[in-house]
Amino acid sequence: MNTNAVASTTGLAQDFRVLPPLEPCDASLLADEMRYCPTQLLSAFALLMAGHGRAVCTSMMLGDREYAMLQLARAHTISDPELRGVTARLFAYFDDAHALPPVGLRA
Protein backbone atom coordinates (compact mmCIF):
# COMPACT_ATOMS: atom_id res chain seq x y z
CA MET A 1 0.00 0.00 0.00
CA ASN A 2 1.26 3.47 -0.82
CA THR A 3 1.77 5.20 2.55
CA ASN A 4 1.53 8.61 0.88
CA ALA A 5 -1.93 7.92 -0.48
CA VAL A 6 -4.73 10.14 0.67
CA ALA A 7 -8.28 8.88 0.19
CA SER A 8 -11.21 11.21 -0.05
CA THR A 9 -14.61 10.02 1.12
CA THR A 10 -17.53 12.44 1.02
CA GLY A 11 -15.15 15.38 1.02
CA LEU A 12 -13.15 14.25 4.06
CA ALA A 13 -9.50 13.41 3.55
CA GLN A 14 -7.87 10.62 5.50
CA ASP A 15 -4.12 10.28 5.71
CA PHE A 16 -3.25 6.59 5.95
CA ARG A 17 0.16 7.34 7.49
CA VAL A 18 -1.49 8.04 10.87
CA LEU A 19 -3.10 4.59 11.05
CA PRO A 20 -1.07 1.95 12.87
CA PRO A 21 -0.33 -1.24 10.95
CA LEU A 22 -2.56 -4.17 11.84
CA GLU A 23 -0.84 -7.50 11.68
CA PRO A 24 -2.43 -10.88 12.52
CA CYS A 25 -0.36 -11.05 15.71
CA ASP A 26 -2.07 -7.85 16.93
CA ALA A 27 -5.40 -9.66 17.42
CA SER A 28 -4.54 -10.68 20.97
CA LEU A 29 -3.68 -7.09 21.84
CA LEU A 30 -6.95 -5.82 20.38
CA ALA A 31 -8.96 -8.42 22.28
CA ASP A 32 -7.81 -6.91 25.56
CA GLU A 33 -8.49 -3.34 24.47
CA MET A 34 -11.79 -3.68 22.61
CA ARG A 35 -15.05 -5.27 23.62
CA TYR A 36 -17.83 -5.60 21.12
CA CYS A 37 -21.35 -6.08 22.39
CA PRO A 38 -23.20 -8.18 19.82
CA THR A 39 -25.92 -5.92 18.47
CA GLN A 40 -28.16 -8.78 17.38
CA LEU A 41 -28.14 -10.17 20.90
CA LEU A 42 -28.85 -6.73 22.34
CA SER A 43 -31.71 -6.23 19.86
CA ALA A 44 -33.14 -9.64 20.75
CA PHE A 45 -32.97 -8.67 24.41
CA ALA A 46 -34.85 -5.43 23.74
CA LEU A 47 -37.53 -7.23 21.74
CA LEU A 48 -37.99 -9.94 24.35
CA MET A 49 -38.27 -7.29 27.07
CA ALA A 50 -40.80 -5.38 24.95
CA GLY A 51 -42.83 -8.57 24.73
CA HIS A 52 -43.11 -8.40 28.51
CA GLY A 53 -44.08 -4.73 28.49
CA ARG A 54 -40.61 -3.41 29.37
CA ALA A 55 -39.05 -0.75 27.14
CA VAL A 56 -35.27 -0.95 26.84
CA CYS A 57 -33.09 1.71 25.22
CA THR A 58 -30.25 -0.17 23.55
CA SER A 59 -28.15 2.99 23.20
CA MET A 60 -28.36 3.55 26.94
CA MET A 61 -27.48 -0.10 27.52
CA LEU A 62 -24.22 0.50 25.65
CA GLY A 63 -23.46 3.89 27.18
CA ASP A 64 -24.56 3.50 30.80
CA ARG A 65 -23.42 0.40 32.68
CA GLU A 66 -25.72 1.08 35.64
CA TYR A 67 -28.76 1.28 33.33
CA ALA A 68 -27.65 -1.91 31.56
CA MET A 69 -27.26 -3.80 34.83
CA LEU A 70 -30.69 -2.61 36.00
CA GLN A 71 -32.31 -3.86 32.78
CA LEU A 72 -30.50 -7.18 33.03
CA ALA A 73 -31.60 -7.57 36.65
CA ARG A 74 -35.21 -6.81 35.67
CA ALA A 75 -35.02 -9.37 32.89
CA HIS A 76 -33.72 -11.98 35.30
CA THR A 77 -36.89 -11.64 37.42
CA ILE A 78 -39.14 -12.48 34.45
CA SER A 79 -39.92 -16.18 34.13
CA ASP A 80 -39.09 -16.52 30.44
CA PRO A 81 -36.38 -19.11 29.69
CA GLU A 82 -35.43 -17.52 26.34
CA LEU A 83 -35.10 -14.07 27.92
CA ARG A 84 -33.03 -15.47 30.77
CA GLY A 85 -30.68 -17.15 28.30
CA VAL A 86 -30.16 -13.93 26.35
CA THR A 87 -29.74 -12.03 29.62
CA ALA A 88 -27.05 -14.42 30.83
CA ARG A 89 -25.12 -14.03 27.57
CA LEU A 90 -25.38 -10.21 27.68
CA PHE A 91 -24.33 -10.08 31.32
CA ALA A 92 -20.78 -11.01 30.30
CA TYR A 93 -20.48 -7.71 28.39
CA PHE A 94 -21.64 -5.51 31.27
CA ASP A 95 -20.34 -7.43 34.28
CA ASP A 96 -16.93 -5.81 34.82
CA ALA A 97 -17.26 -2.29 36.26
CA HIS A 98 -13.60 -1.54 35.51
CA ALA A 99 -13.62 -2.75 31.91
CA LEU A 100 -13.31 -0.33 29.04
CA PRO A 101 -16.62 0.60 27.44
CA PRO A 102 -17.49 -1.13 24.18
CA VAL A 103 -15.81 0.15 21.02
CA GLY A 104 -17.41 3.28 19.65
CA LEU A 105 -18.44 4.60 23.04
CA ARG A 106 -15.10 5.93 24.20
CA ALA A 107 -14.78 9.65 24.80
Side-chain angles (χ1 to χ4, degrees):
M1 180 165 93
N2 183 355
T3 58
N4 295 325
V6 176
S8 180
T9 307
T10 63
L12 299 175
Q14 182 179 24
D15 187 350
F16 289 104
R17 291 175 293 186
V18 298
L19 297 175
L22 183 60
E23 301 296 327
C25 63
D26 294 338
S28 62
L29 297 174
L30 291 175
D32 291 336
E33 295 177 9
M34 295 191 229
R35 295 170 19 124
Y36 290 95
C37 181
T39 56
Q40 289 180 334
L41 190 61
L42 188 57
S43 295
F45 174 77
L47 288 172
L48 288 168
M49 287 291 280
H52 291 281
R54 305 275 185 169
V56 173
C57 178
T58 55
S59 296
M60 282 188 65
M61 289 279 293
L62 292 173
D64 184 347
R65 182 184 176 275
E66 187 175 337
Y67 175 82
M69 294 302 285
L70 175 64
Q71 297 305 319
L72 293 172
R74 279 185 167 172
H76 189 69
T77 64
I78 299 171
S79 59
D80 178 344
E82 184 179 9
L83 178 58
R84 282 187 172 204
V86 170
T87 301
R89 290 176 58 198
L90 274 177
F91 185 74
Y93 293 93
F94 300 102
D95 182 32
D96 188 359
H98 302 293
L100 292 173
V103 172
L105 297 174
R106 296 184 184 155

